[in-house]
Structures are given as C-alpha cells and as structure tokens.
Amino acid sequence: MARFLAARGEGAEWYDARPAPQDLELMTQLGFVQGDPARPYTRVVAAPGVPIDHPDLLRLSAGGAEILGEVELAYRAFPDVPMVGVTGTAGKGSTTVLIAELLRSHGLKAREGGNIDPPLLDVIAQAEVAVVELSSFQLERVPSFRPAVAVISNLGVDHLDRHGSVQAYHAAKRNITAHQTPGDVLILAPGLDVPTRAQVMHFDPARLMLASGREVLPVAELPEGVHPANAAAALLAAEALLTRLGREPDPALLAAALRQARAVHGRFETVARLQTAAGTLRFINDSIATRTLAVQAALEQAAPPVAWLVGGRDKGAELEPLREAAQGKVVRVIGFGEDGEKFAGALGLPFFLVGGESGEAMMDNAVQAAVGALSLDGPPQGTVLLSPIGTSFDAFRDYQERGDAFTRAVQRVLTQLQSQEVKL
C-alpha cells in the first residue's frame, strides 16, 4: 500500500505496533513518517490481520476516521475497472484464478489479486478487469465496494477465533453483495440463500454450463485437480462479466480454457505421479486445506487407496464430516506436527504418527510413512494426500512453505523408489 500511495504522490502516515527493521527502512525511503493512533485521521487503511474491533481502530473510528481495507482503496482509485469479487469458506482462490483465465481466453486483460498473491494494489493499474479473492477479514472493511459480479462458493465454519460466531463469520462473507444493485450479478452455491439486490444465479457442480443451460464441457473432461464446483461457478461469473461488457461468451473458447486449467500451487496440486506394476501412485499437495469443506473436497477427489497426511496447529475444524468422507477411501492417516496426534486419533481410522527435528525432516518421515502404507500388498499405488486440517504455523512460515517441503520430500522418495527399480 505504501508503494502504491508513493507512486501516486499521495501523502500518508503509517503505524505498526511492532515494526520490522525492513519496514522502517522502506517507509523512510518512501518518505512516510510514523503516525499515532491517538490522533485524528480522515481515512485509515487497516491490514486484514488487524481485527476490526482492535482498540486502536475503535479509537480512530470514534475520532472520525473511515476504516478501509486494501481492496476498498483499489476500488476507489480505479472506479472504471470492472471487478469480480470471489469469497467462500473453500475454493475461492482456485475459482478466482479460473475466472481470470476464462476472461483472458476472450482477449481481456484480466488480473487476479486480493487475498491471493499478488495484492490487488500491485495489479489493478494494469488490469482491464480485476478478479478479486476476498477473505472474511477483508470483507469487514469494504464500506462501498461494489463488484459487478460476486461469487460465494460456499459457507461453512472458519475463523471463529476471530469472528466469535458462525453467524458473524457468514455476515462478513455476505458483505460482498452489500452494495450491489439490480444491475449486478451474485452467483451462489446450490441451496445457498443470501439477501441481495443483485440478480442471483446458482451454479450446478454437476454441469459446466452457461446461464442459458448450454453445456460448455462435460465434467469428466476437466483436468485433474480442477474441482467441478469451482469450474461451474467460474463459468457463470465469466459469462456474467462478458455480458456486462457487451461481449458474447464463446463456449468453444471457454471449453478450451477449462481443458488447459491447472490446479493452483498448494491447492489440490498433483506434484508427482509414478506408474508402478500395481498402478498409478499420485502425490497431491493440498497444503492450504485447513477448512473442513476444503479437506472434504480433497478427500472426495482423491483416487483410492489414500494415505492421508494430517497435522499442524488445530484451528477448530469440524472433523465428523471428514470421518464420513474418508470411509472406504483412506487406508492410513499419517499424523505430524503439533496436533497431528489429536487429528489422527479423532478420525477413527488406522493411523501412524511421525516426528522430526525440523519441518523438513518431519515431512520426509510423513511421506515415507504414507508410501509405506500404500505398499503393504506389493508395489505402491493410490494417492498420498497432504490435506492437513491444521495451519502450518507450528513448523513452517506458511502453507506454501509446508507444501514446498512436501514436494521436496516427494522427490526424495521418488528417487529412492526408482533406485529400487520400481517399474516406470
């Protein structure tokens, strides 16, 4: 945000209760001075990690400041850039990327950003159309944000430590449509009902079709790792925005873009596969999956038999739906990290626990144990699935670092398997 404001020649002050040395250096280079939350300000752009009821924000708001987020700032700075907003408990990142790819297939300069890398402020100036992933944290600070098209992929349970209740969490998610008008479009999951003034469409995960009912692509032809629900929602969103811009959606272009789609890094991403005498052995990195709905979707997609890696730090995910989704598919649960034993023991399935002196060593041990579990009756086959339930912060910087450690561990195990002359 500081770089964005500096590039536009806008003045601002900044405040961080615990500034890092590199931040202090950057702000000095950009010419920004530290502010004081006890003083009055007109506008305050708060990072999403700061709770909306933080005492400093409450004090600033009481003093007359309008509290914004980065997305609201971008929306106001570029009012002529049409935006698609995407939120949901699970699938919003993959859906965001899919929508941008579908729009690019029609020659639009579409850029994705927001809750995924890169931040929206980094891409908005180069965008003809912006597709924005929105977390519940971000949606607490969008006082006028009005996307031309909004998507709510699903509503489950998450971030109760932040929002306090499921109702408050869902209310934050529904803010995505709070300022939409009858000329806008809201796309919802089947059976989901959200108060809105926008035109409502429901996507059907069983059919990849346009609003007219015309099928674009059979679900069976989607690439591995692309969830049908995400693809169905993305199709309707891309169609709605193209129509808004006066462009005719081309089913052939949309189908071609879907066939070329790939899983987003760390989101049900097949990082390796090995053909053995028994069949195919797949390794899937779904490190971002810390929500019940996301883990459930991964279990439903994974080809059995499955060795399932669970662990990290518990954030309160519901486990009962996961027990049901794992039945008949998961042959062994591999528990790792701070709450790996807690998760593995609660799932009611055979499990094995691993440790390690570092996150890297722990992931090595987990992948080796998973391959061993799929090798009991001969050469390994099936799926090694990292869909961990817990956050990464017990042993890794973030979910990406955890997923990268998994990928490196997979490569080392593959080297061992190949040295043992597994049939390729």
Side-chain angles (χ1 to χ4, degrees):
M1 190 185 73
R3 291 190 180 98
F4 174 81
L5 293 175
R8 293 169 63 87
E10 295 191 29
E13 295 180 359
W14 68 284
Y15 175 76
D16 192 326
R18 293 184 297 275
Q22 61 267 31
D23 293 334
L24 288 166
E25 182 181 355
L26 175 64
M27 294 302 170
T28 300
Q29 291 174 356
L30 295 175
F32 293 125
V33 299
Q34 287 206 58
D36 180 354
R39 287 172 41 210
Y41 291 87
T42 303
R43 287 186 301 166
V44 173
V45 184
V50 181
I52 201 69
D53 59 355
H54 188 283
D56 285 340
L57 292 186
L58 294 178
R59 184 185 302 115
L60 288 159
S61 180
E66 183 184 27
I67 309 300
L68 316 178
E70 176 228 354
V71 170
E72 179 77 18
L73 186 64
Y75 172 73
R76 294 185 184 186
F78 291 87
D80 296 328
V81 176
M83 293 193 185
V84 180
V86 185
T87 196
T89 303
K92 59 184 179 294
S94 298
T95 303
T96 297
V97 173
L98 271 175
I99 294 169
E101 289 175 350
L102 293 174
L103 294 173
R104 285 192 285 267
S105 75
H106 282 65
L108 285 170
K109 194 175 182 181
R111 296 289 183 270
E112 59 266 46
N115 192 51
I116 57 173
D117 289 331
L120 181 59
L121 288 176
D122 283 4
V123 299
I124 187 69
Q126 296 81 42
E128 188 177 3
V129 174
V131 188
V132 192
E133 182 192 342
L134 293 157
S135 71
S136 59
F137 297 177
Q138 290 171 307
L139 286 168
E140 287 181 319
R141 52 207 75 193
V142 285
S144 66
F145 175 66
R146 176 193 160 196
V149 180
V151 179
I152 303 179
S153 59
N154 44 55
L155 287 176
V157 179
D158 198 16
H159 299 306
L160 298 189
D161 55 340
R162 166 73 171 256
H163 297 290
S165 69
V166 174
Q167 292 76 17
Y169 167 62
H170 287 182
K173 290 288 192 183
R174 290 195 296 268
N175 274 343
I176 196 171
T177 189
H179 304 289
Q180 286 191 297
T181 68
D184 303 319
V185 175
L186 174 63
I187 295 165
L188 299 172
L192 188 60
D193 183 24
V194 172
T196 183
R197 290 174 294 168
Q199 177 188 353
V200 174
M201 299 180 183
H202 287 87
F203 64 85
D204 181 356
R207 294 191 64 196
L208 304 179
M209 60 184 183
L210 300 177
S212 64
R214 176 175 178 177
E215 186 177 60
V216 172
L217 188 73
V219 169
E221 294 185 21
L222 280 176
E224 184 178 50
V226 178
H227 197 284
N230 299 340
L235 272 175
L236 287 182
E239 178 190 20
L241 193 72
L242 288 166
T243 302
R244 173 75 167 256
L245 297 176
R247 301 197 179 203
E248 185 71 25
D250 185 331
L253 292 177
L254 294 170
L258 285 177
R259 287 192 179 98
Q260 294 168 9
R262 295 293 178 266
V264 179
H265 181 49
R267 293 167 167 85
F268 204 81
E269 173 192 16
T270 299
V271 297
R273 60 166 55 85
L274 180 69
Q275 196 65 35
T276 73
T280 302
L281 177 63
R282 291 180 177 83
F283 297 85
I284 295 177
N285 170 18
D286 196 32
S287 180
I288 198 171
T290 61
R291 302 164 177 87
T292 300
L293 285 173
V295 179
Q296 192 173 357
L299 289 169
E300 291 169 354
Q301 284 185 276
V306 176
W308 177 20
L309 277 60
V310 303
R313 182 170 295 162
D314 185 15
K315 59 181 285 189
E318 294 179 294
L319 298 182
E320 187 57 37
L322 303 181
R323 288 170 58 111
E324 298 173 7
Q327 291 299 322
K329 296 191 79 170
V330 175
V331 295
R332 186 71 56 86
V333 175
I334 312 298
F336 66 89
E338 186 175 304
D339 288 312
E341 182 174 5
K342 175 182 176 181
F343 292 144
L347 290 168
L349 297 164
F351 68 88
F352 185 79
L353 302 176
V354 300
E357 296 180 356
S358 65
E360 193 87 6
M362 182 172 61
M363 200 57 70
D364 265 338
N365 295 335
V367 171
Q368 290 200 24
V371 172
L374 297 176
S375 307
L376 297 179
D377 298 322
Q381 62 97 18
T383 303
V384 175
L385 172 66
L386 172 65
S387 194
I389 307 174
T391 67
S392 58
F393 305 126
D394 61 327
F396 301 95
R397 181 179 64 250
D398 52 30
Y399 81 90
Q400 292 177 323
E401 185 177 75
R402 177 169 63 185
D404 291 342
F406 171 78
T407 301
R408 289 190 294 270
V410 167
Q411 294 304 322
R412 287 189 282 269
V413 166
L414 286 179
T415 299
Q416 294 173 7
L417 290 174
Q418 290 165 345
S419 68
Q420 295 167 10
E421 298 183 354
V422 173
K423 182 180 178 182
L424 302 179

